[in-house]
Amino acid sequence: MFEKILVANRGEIACRVMKTAKRMGIGTVAVYSEADRDALHVAMADEAVAIGPAPSAESYLVAERIVGACKETGADAVHPGYGFLSENTAFAETLADAGIAFIGPPPAAIAAMGDKIESKRIAKDAGVNTIPGHVAVIRDEAEALEIAQGIGFPVMIKASAGGGGKGMRIARAADEMAEGFRLATNEARSSFADDRVFIEKFIEDPRHIEIQVLADTHGGAVYLNERECSIQRRHQKVIEEAPSPFLDAATRRAMGEQAVALANRVAYCSAGTVEFIVDKDRNFYFLEMNTRLQVEHPVTELITGLDLVEQMIRVAAGEKLAFGQDDVTLTGWAMESRVYAEDPLRGFLPSVGRLVRYIPPEESETVRVDTGVGEGSEISIYYDPMIAKLVSYGATRDEAIAEMRRALDGYYVRGVSHNMQFLSAVMQHPRFVAGDLTTGFIEEEFPDGFKGVAPGEAETGTLAAIAAAAAQIVRERERSVGCEEPATEDASHWTVQLGPDYIDVALEGEPGDVLVIIGAASTDSADRRPAIPVLTGWRPGEPLFRAQVGGAQVIAQIDATGTGWRIAQGGTAVEARVLRPRVAQLAATMPVKEPPDMSKFLLSPMPGLLVSVAVAGGQWVKAGEELAVIEAMKMENVLRADQDGEVKAIHASPGDSLTVDQKIVEFV
């Protein structure tokens, strides 16, 4: 067995690998860029080596520096995590030449499967179902259009060396091919230093289902069931689960056997994933093979009881698999939500900054948090904006969903925007709960983007009860220190303002154990609702309001906002104030301050690098025309005119680093 493993990665996956290595009694080495000097994975490792500036191309992607760190620390093996150098053939060969073990598949398997064009040829030869398409390298836009017309629209343009949703574009008609080809090629060049793309038929209403495989160097190979990864945005997975709610036993077995056949065809060893597209009739087609550990591997671990990182380490050390296919179990259900620093209310734009407060949910047999950050950590523009992978487990799918919803309610992050409100909205969406999934789920169910979740009647009652109970506890504290003003009205009657709505309530009982009667001041019996008991030990200043509300266990996030609170629970976030009835009447008449008019400006919707500006002062542009391109997290984002107009001035230049809402173009 290895004595010391260097993890050639950062963030949550570096921490994840180190946890297993430490449990196995193996020493760990971290590498870090200048931006990650104080990162959690650095503090977690037994040793740490600096490898260069913040940009990954000058640090984490420089193989020579990784090898140098191994020699400096005496590490005898490298685990690459995922991304960066994890599927880099030259890196695996360089380690082998240096006598350092690579905890992953052999270079030949990486090369065969890493090239998406070559991998499809091999898959077809191995008897694996493949998607109709053109798998040769495409020279230019004209050839791309000719091929697409031959296959038939819609088509998918994909980077040959791609992964993670980068270098992928869908073209549904001929007039979309030129831009799709250009953007896919540019992203492929930027992300993988390889601008080759290919084209294949786009399967309508597909599911994305993948098979986890595991193979040793002695000819042993098994499949560890499937993962459903259909909840995606811009081809990036958002929520994964295992098993799939769609597959039956026969399809699972057929997919698993084809995945193992492909692994054997390329003499694969280590953990790997064979990804398939599955249509509504359970026909499945090979998509690609990822020759590394997947982001979503925890859901497989929970339903099989296996530690995939441990298995990778043991295989790399030359051990045989200790089990066969008949020993692989499928017990319970697991969900994974990718918690990102991004703002779903602003088109999921990435958010950067420092985590000024960070309280993850408590881990248990049903909740797992894989993260590489802590309070005070910084989310940088240089790397993927993932905060954590939040994983839940239950005996059934419904139980796993319920656990995930509770965990999301209790995951408190401040300092950057995050997507947990959106994740909660998906988790409670009727179509998701029913398991009716496709890769177009988000686009179909949120066609105008995510606007938040409006509370229903039951949710409104819960939020009003939480606000009223919190206000009573605050008033009791103020009374106990002599700060509360003498009451001039009935102290039991209040009005809760939830956003634009005003709800009359009456309170009975003591702080922390109160009965909140909704609509108590109304003379219309139709407006009166059942009383809601609230039992809580919450104290002012605590960010999480844990309580029994109406007999149900509830966790709400509660932040003071001057005269009230912002309360978030179950995917809903509202501004709440608890006022005397007369004060509420007056508040309802107050004018709302209008925001400044910025309609004449093109503003940067995200922090990023301004790649190009396509217009100049005095130029007339039409709605839909390209104005500028911004690169953020290695993704190119085209900004277009939303109406006809004349350009008055340009306020930024290509190469500028932009902040959110920075002016780029001004119109007359």
Side-chain angles (χ1 to χ4, degrees):
M1 184 49 66
F2 305 119
E3 294 185 1
K4 188 182 295 185
I5 292 174
L6 182 144
V7 184
N9 217 298
R10 64 177 300 280
E12 63 86 15
I13 188 56
C15 295
R16 163 70 189 92
V17 172
M18 290 176 192
K19 285 180 181 178
T20 290
K22 287 176 178 291
R23 180 176 57 76
M24 296 176 69
I26 302 171
T28 57
V29 179
V31 292
Y32 62 92
S33 70
E34 291 175 2
D36 279 339
R37 183 175 301 277
D38 299 319
L40 186 60
H41 76 280
V42 177
M44 187 180 215
D46 298 317
E47 302 174 65
V49 179
I51 55 171
S56 56
E58 301 175 40
S59 51
Y60 295 106
L61 288 172
V62 182
E64 293 77 10
R65 293 182 181 174
I66 304 296
V67 174
C70 288
K71 293 179 178 179
E72 179 182 335
T73 59
D76 51 350
V78 168
H79 195 300
Y82 47 70
F84 290 148
L85 296 169
S86 61
E87 295 179 285
N88 187 296
T89 305
F91 177 59
E93 291 173 339
T94 298
L95 290 176
D97 292 342
I100 301 166
F102 179 69
I103 303 176
I110 298 174
M113 294 293 98
D115 187 311
K116 301 303 183 288
I117 295 175
E118 180 64 19
S119 68
K120 290 183 183 297
R121 294 198 187 102
I122 295 173
K124 189 172 183 178
D125 290 343
V128 180
N129 302 344
T130 56
I131 301 173
H134 182 87
V135 295
V137 177
I138 300 167
R139 294 187 302 273
D140 52 33
E141 294 176 11
E143 185 183 16
L145 176 58
E146 181 181 349
I147 291 168
Q149 290 173 328
I151 295 172
F153 291 100
V155 298
M156 177 78 83
I157 309 164
K158 302 176 68 174
S160 178
K166 297 181 176 66
M168 297 174 63
R169 287 292 187 278
I170 297 172
R172 298 185 178 277
D175 59 1
E176 297 178 7
M177 278 301 298
E179 180 179 85
F181 182 85
R182 175 173 61 84
L183 291 175
T185 301
N186 289 347
E187 284 184 5
R189 184 185 303 112
S190 173
S191 297
F192 313 111
D194 183 344
D195 64 0
R196 294 175 303 149
V197 298
F198 65 96
I199 296 175
E200 64 186 14
K201 182 70 176 176
F202 178 69
I203 305 298
E204 297 282 5
D205 298 324
R207 285 177 179 256
H208 185 129
I209 300 176
E210 60 192 29
I211 301 291
Q212 176 71 59
V213 296
L214 185 64
D216 61 26
T217 56
H218 304 276
V222 298
Y223 62 90
L224 305 180
N225 305 310
E226 82 280 1
R227 296 184 289 257
E228 172 95 43
C229 307
S230 297
I231 304 298
Q232 303 179 4
R233 189 184 63 78
R234 292 186 65 182
H235 311 299
Q236 290 272 17
K237 299 168 187 173
V238 177
I239 294 172
E240 302 99 349
E241 61 183 295
S244 165
F246 185 61
L247 292 194
D248 54 25
T251 309
R252 175 179 296 116
R253 181 172 59 255
M255 293 176 71
E257 288 174 352
Q258 287 197 15
V260 169
L262 179 59
N264 288 334
R265 176 70 173 75
V266 294
Y268 196 87
C269 62
S270 192
T273 298
V274 181
E275 301 194 350
F276 293 93
I277 289 295
V278 184
D279 70 16
K280 58 184 175 58
D281 298 315
R282 293 196 180 93
N283 298 309
F284 58 91
Y285 306 95
F286 173 74
L287 186 61
E288 63 183 357
M289 183 175 188
N290 290 300
T291 56
R292 54 170 169 78
L293 192 67
Q294 290 282 92
V295 176
E296 58 271 21
H297 75 274
V299 294
T300 296
E301 294 183 325
L302 290 181
I303 66 166
T304 62
L306 296 169
D307 182 328
L308 292 184
V309 173
E310 177 182 351
Q311 295 301 320
M312 293 180 73
I313 292 171
R314 293 190 180 282
V315 166
E319 296 185 13
K320 290 184 178 181
L321 294 180
F323 53 89
Q325 190 63 59
D326 292 341
D327 301 311
V328 176
T329 61
L330 195 168
T331 305
W333 215 286
M335 294 272 170
E336 177 179 293
S337 292
R338 299 191 184 191
V339 179
Y340 280 106
E342 62 185 12
D343 189 347
L345 298 174
R346 290 171 58 93
F348 296 91
L349 298 176
S351 178
V352 298
R354 194 168 299 280
L355 301 177
V356 296
R357 290 298 307 273
Y358 180 79
I359 306 174
E362 185 176 350
E363 295 195 68
S364 65
E365 292 183 355
T366 58
V367 175
R368 169 174 163 178
V369 183
D370 283 13
T371 187
V373 300
E375 196 156 285
S377 293
E378 184 176 0
I379 304 298
S380 167
I381 190 175
Y382 296 105
Y383 312 116
D384 185 273
M386 181 183 286
I387 295 173
K389 301 180 313 195
L390 180 60
V391 191
S392 66
Y393 178 80
T396 65
R397 188 170 187 268
D398 286 345
E399 288 184 16
I401 290 173
E403 286 292 332
M404 179 62 73
R405 291 180 63 180
R406 281 190 287 269
L408 287 166
D409 283 344
Y411 206 147
Y412 188 87
V413 173
R414 296 295 183 269
V416 296
S417 299
H418 57 75
N419 65 335
M420 283 186 276
Q421 185 182 353
F422 174 72
L423 295 171
S424 291
V426 173
M427 281 289 155
Q428 62 187 295
H429 195 288
R431 182 177 159 191
F432 179 83
V433 173
D436 179 16
L437 313 178
T438 71
T439 56
F441 177 93
I442 292 176
E443 183 179 77
E444 293 158 6
E445 299 303 325
F446 304 94
D448 299 321
F450 181 65
K451 308 300 183 184
V453 177
E457 182 176 339
E459 291 79 16
T460 296
T462 296
L463 293 167
I466 289 172
Q472 187 189 46
I473 292 170
V474 170
R475 288 196 304 273
E476 173 61 21
R477 168 180 280 191
E478 292 174 345
R479 186 199 62 77
S480 67
V481 296
C483 295
E484 185 181 38
E485 295 183 4
T488 57
E489 301 180 59
D490 183 353
S492 67
H493 283 80
W494 297 82
T495 298
V496 178
Q497 180 186 1
L498 290 180
D501 300 323
Y502 292 84
I503 303 167
D504 293 319
V505 302
L507 306 181
E508 297 178 0
E510 300 298 319
D513 187 2
V514 64
L515 192 67
V516 182
I517 305 171
I518 306 293
S522 174
T523 58
D524 185 351
S525 61
D527 291 337
R528 295 173 63 88
R529 301 172 192 167
I532 302 175
V534 180
L535 181 64
T536 181
W538 179 79
R539 293 292 179 266
E542 293 180 357
L544 297 176
F545 189 97
R546 302 177 186 272
Q548 279 191 3
V549 180
Q553 293 291 338
V554 168
I555 303 174
Q557 301 186 12
I558 183 166
D559 296 286
T561 57
T563 59
W565 297 281
R566 179 176 174 81
I567 302 175
Q569 195 272 328
T572 298
V574 296
E575 300 291 333
R577 294 195 296 171
V578 182
L579 308 169
R580 293 291 188 186
R582 178 55 179 161
V583 174
Q585 290 177 351
L586 296 173
T589 67
M590 295 294 290
V592 177
K593 182 179 180 180
E594 295 293 334
D597 180 12
M598 301 300 291
S599 61
K600 293 186 179 296
F601 293 92
L602 172 69
L603 306 177
S604 176
M606 69 194 79
L609 177 70
L610 183 59
V611 176
S612 63
V613 177
V615 295
Q619 180 177 338
W620 183 266
V621 297
K622 291 186 174 294
E625 279 191 43
E626 179 180 315
L627 300 177
V629 176
I630 296 177
E631 182 182 290
M633 310 300 178
K634 292 193 174 182
M635 296 288 285
E636 287 194 351
N637 302 272
V638 179
L639 307 184
R640 301 183 182 280
D642 57 9
Q643 60 184 349
D644 296 354
E646 181 183 349
V647 176
K648 179 179 180 180
I650 306 298
H651 292 280
S653 303
D656 288 354
S657 293
L658 304 177
T659 58
V660 175
D661 290 336
Q662 183 172 335
K663 297 175 183 177
I664 303 174
V665 178
E666 182 179 357
F667 296 91
V668 174

